[in-house]
Amino acid sequence: MSAEPSPPALEVGRLLDSALRDSGREDFADRSFIPALKRLIDACRQEASLSRLGTLALRHDVLRCLGNLLCFDELEAANPAVLAAPVREPVFISGMPRSGTTFLHRLIVQDPNTIAPRLYQLVHPEVAHCGRAASFVRKAGVRLQLALFRLIAPEFHALHPLGVDEPEECSDIIAQVFHSSRFESSYRVPSYGAWLRATGFIDAYRFHRRFLQHLQVHCPERRWILKSPDHVFALDEMRAVYPDARLVVVHRDPVRVLASVAKLTQVMRSPFTRRIDPLEIGREVTASWIDGARRMAALPADDRSILHLHYRRIVSHPLEAVDAVYQHCGLALSAEARYRMFRWLEKTRGAGGPARRYDLARFGLNPSRLRREFRHYTDKFRVELEPD
């Protein structure tokens, strides 16, 4: 495929210069992110068929991330002790996407002794160092962005509700250094995705720890509860950076998972591209999660740092699932935390609306074929198969 003309708004050199000019700094303390940024921009130029809105959105996102990196540089120069603070025994929730991990994550963080990255912090991580007034202003800006996104992608909120103060995924953390599958969800960038998987994620997880060190500056004793299906693809890198981490892996019927992921990908990409191919999206998510299932099936059965949970257990007996997580991670569930979780469950009961159904054929997904391709995974973990 021939490359499309590169809009000046998406030239890497101009983006770097613009971010430096806006920050008043001469250079980045660490420039190791630049190859990933170049790969992303090249893939968007050659493969993504960006709409005008897509070009503007990508530029805004890149400049925001570059600004956050420069802000970290400035904060660390003023207070080097930020990077000396340990991140102790973080808990990572991962596994199949669309399997109740968001529900479990948001339930656990009702415990005031836990901490998770909130959406507004992922957009503006410097708020951890700011006063209340500055935080209020930044939150208001994020609320406005969410309102605009609901206008351009009205189906998204029903699939994955977003809230300024809600915890969100780690894929948005490592996106700050342009090393995240989050970009694959928003844009058609197969060459960038292949490069990510070939390169590995060690630099991304080193930045992940740096990010958490900034967010925990005023609450270093609280336990991190983190979540993203993408951790499945970087378990070695996660262990290298966080050797004392605890992992919770959630399992669900891949047929239900893939239909939902394909629909979510279509909804996320639609505002930013001139062309959508549902069949290609179906092939992409299937290939990705065949690999993910293979990686989960290869996990050692005797690894005591891993807890395996099932979607059905989480949604039918959520507090029992929490008890299992706390026992596995050596956490104490206080009476106050349990009460807060119970109240949250009461408040959110029925909030998801009726069960959603997806047109598998639209994405070229054949249930019988998928059952065969994922049988090694569903058999090993005794995954309950759901109606197609």
Side-chain angles (χ1 to χ4, degrees):
M1 182 183 296
S2 61
E4 298 177 3
S6 179
L10 293 182
E11 290 182 3
V12 172
R14 292 192 182 190
L15 290 166
L16 296 173
D17 289 343
S18 180
L20 289 167
R21 185 170 56 252
D22 291 344
S23 71
R25 296 183 65 83
E26 293 184 0
D27 203 355
F28 295 85
D30 180 359
R31 297 174 62 88
S32 61
F33 67 87
I34 292 179
L37 174 58
K38 288 181 176 178
R39 288 278 182 171
L40 173 64
I41 295 298
D42 285 347
C44 284
R45 177 172 63 89
Q46 297 173 6
E47 302 163 348
S49 297
L50 291 178
S51 64
R52 174 63 175 164
L53 178 60
T55 299
L56 293 173
L58 179 60
R59 174 181 168 79
H60 173 80
D61 201 19
V62 168
L63 288 175
R64 177 185 61 81
C65 293
L66 293 174
N68 287 343
L69 294 178
L70 290 165
C71 184
F72 277 7
D73 291 346
E74 183 175 354
L75 291 167
E76 290 158 12
N79 182 15
V82 169
L83 298 183
V87 178
R88 293 190 176 92
E89 297 182 310
V91 178
F92 288 84
I93 300 173
S94 192
M96 279 286 172
R98 317 297 291 166
S99 61
T101 54
T102 296
F103 174 79
L104 179 63
H105 190 212
R106 294 182 179 183
L107 177 59
I108 291 175
V109 299
Q110 302 308 307
D111 183 348
N113 291 318
T114 64
I115 183 174
R118 309 289 172 155
L119 177 59
Y120 75 93
Q121 294 173 317
L122 293 168
V123 178
H124 298 295
E126 77 279 4
V127 297
H129 303 266
C130 296
R132 289 186 177 181
S135 296
F136 178 82
V137 171
R138 286 166 174 78
K139 282 187 181 182
V142 176
R143 285 192 182 93
L144 177 59
Q145 291 178 48
L146 287 183
L148 293 173
F149 187 65
R150 287 185 186 125
L151 287 176
I152 64 173
E155 293 181 275
F156 181 85
H157 187 71
L159 296 168
H160 182 82
L162 294 174
V164 170
D165 287 295
E166 294 290 356
E168 278 300 331
E169 297 190 349
C170 295
S171 54
D172 287 312
I173 295 178
I174 58 178
Q176 313 269 333
V177 286
F178 313 104
H179 222 96
S180 171
S181 65
R182 194 258 277 173
F183 297 109
E184 293 181 274
S185 298
S186 300
Y187 310 105
R188 179 188 179 274
V189 283
S191 66
Y192 169 79
W195 177 83
L196 269 186
R197 288 178 278 280
T199 304
F201 296 87
I202 190 65
D203 288 340
Y205 276 80
R206 287 172 181 152
F207 175 79
H208 185 282
R209 180 177 58 194
R210 180 187 178 195
F211 196 96
L212 298 187
Q213 287 170 318
H214 278 270
L215 294 195
Q216 72 179 13
V217 67
H218 295 303
C219 45
E221 300 306 318
R222 291 162 70 183
R223 192 78 168 266
W224 279 104
I225 309 296
L226 305 155
K227 173 253 177 180
S228 175
D230 295 339
H231 294 309
V232 162
F233 301 97
L235 293 176
D236 290 341
E237 293 92 336
M238 185 194 78
R239 300 279 195 194
V241 174
Y242 299 108
D244 60 350
R246 291 292 181 268
L247 179 63
V248 178
V249 180
V250 182
H251 304 287
R252 188 181 182 186
D253 180 1
V255 172
R256 290 304 297 261
V257 163
L258 293 177
S260 182
V261 173
K263 176 64 175 179
L264 183 62
T265 303
Q266 178 189 23
V267 169
M268 290 183 67
R269 288 184 185 177
S270 291
F272 308 127
T273 185
R274 301 190 304 271
R275 183 178 69 87
I276 283 284
D277 183 347
L279 296 179
E280 182 182 45
I281 290 174
R283 291 192 297 270
E284 286 178 10
V285 299
T286 299
S288 178
W289 283 102
I290 285 176
D291 180 35
R294 177 186 60 79
R295 291 170 184 266
M296 286 186 278
L299 292 171
D302 59 350
D303 190 334
R304 296 185 178 181
S305 70
I306 303 174
L307 170 68
H308 295 275
L309 290 177
H310 287 77
Y311 166 76
R312 288 293 189 189
R313 180 180 183 186
I314 292 171
V315 297
S316 61
H317 300 91
L319 290 178
E320 287 184 12
V322 169
D323 286 335
V325 172
Y326 272 57
Q327 181 178 0
H328 172 71
C329 299
L331 288 164
L333 184 59
S334 68
E336 178 191 4
R338 183 176 287 275
Y339 176 72
R340 289 188 180 206
M341 292 179 188
F342 177 80
R343 289 295 302 271
W344 184 84
L345 288 170
E346 287 290 300
K347 185 170 63 175
T348 58
R349 187 170 309 215
R356 287 179 289 273
R357 297 186 179 277
Y358 304 99
D359 184 358
L360 291 158
R362 173 172 173 76
F363 299 100
L365 301 176
N366 180 285
S368 298
R369 186 183 308 124
L370 292 175
R371 296 267 184 248
R372 293 192 298 270
E373 292 177 329
F374 283 93
R375 183 166 295 157
H376 67 293
Y377 165 77
T378 54
D379 285 354
K380 176 167 183 175
F381 295 108
R382 299 180 181 177
V383 177
E384 180 181 352
L385 303 183
E386 302 174 45
D388 298 337

